[in-house]
Amino acid sequence: MAAKLKKGDKVVVLAGKDKGKEGEISSVNPKSGKAVVDGINIAVRHTRQSQNSQGGRIPTAVPIDLSNLALLDSNGKATRVGFREEDGKKVRFAKTTGEAV
């Protein structure tokens, strides 16, 4: 199945502790059905000091399930994503506005 959300998309969180927050997808793992969104689902990781890094408690964004994310349309509202043919190519579009994304 084609990916409805891709790297660089602006999304809003639909469920969980960060519900309602917006961010940009930095990476997607389609096999596990998860994505990493900047500033969303932050967890503190404890790292040991090394020659290169200071170490300590470092906040990092951990993956969030794709079902808990929705694409933001041009109006800034959550929308579903559909596919249609344009000039012989498969194009993603926002279901609320109908414009290609």
Side-chain angles (χ1 to χ4, degrees), residues 7-34:
K7 180 179 177 180
D9 284 345
K10 301 275 188 205
V11 293
V12 62
V13 179
L14 300 176
K17 66 179 183 180
D18 294 322
K19 181 177 180 178
K21 290 186 182 177
E22 299 174 5
E24 185 175 324
I25 296 179
S26 58
S27 69
V28 178
N29 186 353
K31 191 171 186 179
S32 66
K34 294 181 181 270

Side-chain angles (χ1 to χ4, degrees), residues 19-64:
K19 181 177 180 178
K21 290 186 182 177
E22 299 174 5
E24 185 175 324
I25 296 179
S26 58
S27 69
V28 178
N29 186 353
K31 191 171 186 179
S32 66
K34 294 181 181 270
V36 176
V37 182
D38 296 330
I40 305 293
N41 203 23
I42 300 295
V44 176
R45 298 288 181 229
H46 297 73
T47 58
R48 184 180 290 269
Q49 182 178 359
S50 67
Q51 284 184 326
N52 302 337
S53 63
Q54 178 63 31
R57 300 176 68 216
I58 300 174
T60 57
V62 293
I64 187 170

Side-chain angles (χ1 to χ4, degrees), residues 1-4 30 81 83 90:
M1 189 172 120
K4 294 187 182 242
V81 178
F83 294 96
K90 195 174 191 180

Side-chain angles (χ1 to χ4, degrees), residues 87-101:
D87 302 326
K89 292 186 177 181
K90 195 174 191 180
V91 178
R92 295 184 313 153
F93 72 98
K95 294 239 180 174
T96 55
T97 59
E99 38 186 67
V101 280

